């Protein structure tokens, strides 16, 4: 629903930048007559990136062209590289399954234990992302599957730095987020010393990675919270199209592209950034946003469209045109009323309505059953990426706080902010430049 975005279909693969290290080959040979994972990856195009509106329960992504559709038979072979300039799972197209999990370091664990843990986690991620088994005590859950676009991404929370004696190296951008009027936050499901994002296009592959990461934590860290999500599966539609969220809205129309000159500046910390260990990294805001679906579904289709500012059928702006037509914010009807209401979500979240503030949104939907009141516990696991949350997430969320029509139908139930360092080079582990400086 937001005019800012969700990576759409998961048919696209992540293409490494020129600075990225070579792909790591799987130890399992491809079956005879089947295109290799490396070759398959090399023929794919990069699509499905997202630029996002912060407190929204929705967003928009450009749909890939028909030529970039992923045949179902190839889903298991799709491979994303672990080593590279940036960590995987940021510009990777949305996967069908996802797990978000936060850990707290165990009592007595400090910098040394954290470094050993990140070393283990990085090696496990590298192996699983190429389709190999975990190095120790593999569960065999994903024995019959390929990598299925598996990505594993690691970040550090505000509390991590005090636990490891690294307070002087904590980024200013990691200062706690301000309070917002839409917050109903559960502290037990918020923040954390360490954060891991797992995504894959196969549920068992994603679960396999989750179990391996949890087992690798050993006595060094314990799970603080875990959230599980999903998106549309590759090949689920007759042709590639922009995704829909649980409110039934086209979700991903105004997605930025890496080809845009300001893309990297909005999403990634520059190579000359401060602190130096965050070079080519990003900051992730993670929020569990409950959708009040029973209330939403009582609205007429026209009322839902007025809340969002876009047609439910095809995502076109209420001012006319197609899904990708620029929204005319000044257009009025015969009675002189704005066609796109003044409090429409798509109007409020536009970067040009927020001093250019924008971010890359890459969420998962969730449904955790029916709560004690008999209503769906469902919504969006909101994840947005930006070079600085003070310039990205915060101003947009403050604007939403002041009068977004969608706010009546959503509730922010948990929150976290994490520093996600740049990608690990060959022979490195994620966070090494912080932990071994």
């Amino acid at each position: 629903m937001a005019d800012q975005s969700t990576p759409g279909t998961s048919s696209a693969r992540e293409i490494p930048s020129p600075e990225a290290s070579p792909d790591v080959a799987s130890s399992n040979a491809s079956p005879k007559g089947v295109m290799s994972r490396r070759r398959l990856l090399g023929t794919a195009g990069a699509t499905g990136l997202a630029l996002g509106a912060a407190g929204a329960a929705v967003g928009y992504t450009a749909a890939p062209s028909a030529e970039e559709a992923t045949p179902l038979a190839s889903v298991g072979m799709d491979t994303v590289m672990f080593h590279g300039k940036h960590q995987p799972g940021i510009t990777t197209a949305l996967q069908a399954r996802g797990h978000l999990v936060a850990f707290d370091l165990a009592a007595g664990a400090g910098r040394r234990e954290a470094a050993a843990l990140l070393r283990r986690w990085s090696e496990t991620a590298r192996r699983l992302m190429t389709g190999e088994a975990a190095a120790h005590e593999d569960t065999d859950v994903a024995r019959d599957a390929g990598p299925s676009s598996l990505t594993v991404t690691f970040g550090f929370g505000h509390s991590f730095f005090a636990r490891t004696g690294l307070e002087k190296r904590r980024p200013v951008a990691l200062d706690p987020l301000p309070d917002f009027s839409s917050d109903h936050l559960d502290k037990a499901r918020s923040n954390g010393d360490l954060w891991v994002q797992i995504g894959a296009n196969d549920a068992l592959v994603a679960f396999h990675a989750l179990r391996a990461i949890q087992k690798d934590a050993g006595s060094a860290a314990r799970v603080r919270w875990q959230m599980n999500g999903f998106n549309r599966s590759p090949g689920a539609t007759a042709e590639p199209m922009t995704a829909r969220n649980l409110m039934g809205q086209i979700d991903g129309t105004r997605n930025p592209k890496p080809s845009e000159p300001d893309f990297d500046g909005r999403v990634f910390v520059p190579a000359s950034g401060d602190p130096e260990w965050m070079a080519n990294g990003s900051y992730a805001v993670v929020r569990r946003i409950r959708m009040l679906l029973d209330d939403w579904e009582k609205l007429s289709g026209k009322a839902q469209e007025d809340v969002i500012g876009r047609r439910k059928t095809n995502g076109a702006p209420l001012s006319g045109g197609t899904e990708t037509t620029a929204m005319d914010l000044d257009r009025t009807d015969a009675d002189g009323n704005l066609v796109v209401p003044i409090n429409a979500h798509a109007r409020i979240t536009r970067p040009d309505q927020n001093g250019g503030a924008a971010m890359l949104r890459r969420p998962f939907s969730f449904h955790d059953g029916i709560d004690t009141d008999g209503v769906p516990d469902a919504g969006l696991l909101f994840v947005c990426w930006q070079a600085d949350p003070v310039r990205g997430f915060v101003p947009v969320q403050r604007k939403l706080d002041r009068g977004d029509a969608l706010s009546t139908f959503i509730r922010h139930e948990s929150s976290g902010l994490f520093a996600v360092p740049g990608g690990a080079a060959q022979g490195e582990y994620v966070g090494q430049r912080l932990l071994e400086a």
Side-chain angles (χ1 to χ4, degrees), residues 192-211:
D193 294 341
L194 294 156
W195 175 69
V196 184
Q197 173 190 257
I198 295 168
N201 281 331
D202 180 79
L204 287 180
V205 169
F207 177 80
H208 179 234
L210 175 66
R211 287 295 296 136

Side-chain angles (χ1 to χ4, degrees), residues 1 18-19 55 64 73 85 133 139 164 217 223 238 271 308 321 329 335 358 424 430 432:
M1 294 168 234
E19 298 89 348
K85 181 178 180 180
T139 62
T164 55
V223 172
I308 302 306
L329 299 180
D335 297 323
V430 173
Q432 183 170 334

Side-chain angles (χ1 to χ4, degrees), residues 288 290 366-371 374-378:
R288 186 183 195 269
R290 176 85 165 263
F366 74 87
H367 179 218
D368 292 337
I370 306 300
D371 69 12
V375 298
D377 183 7

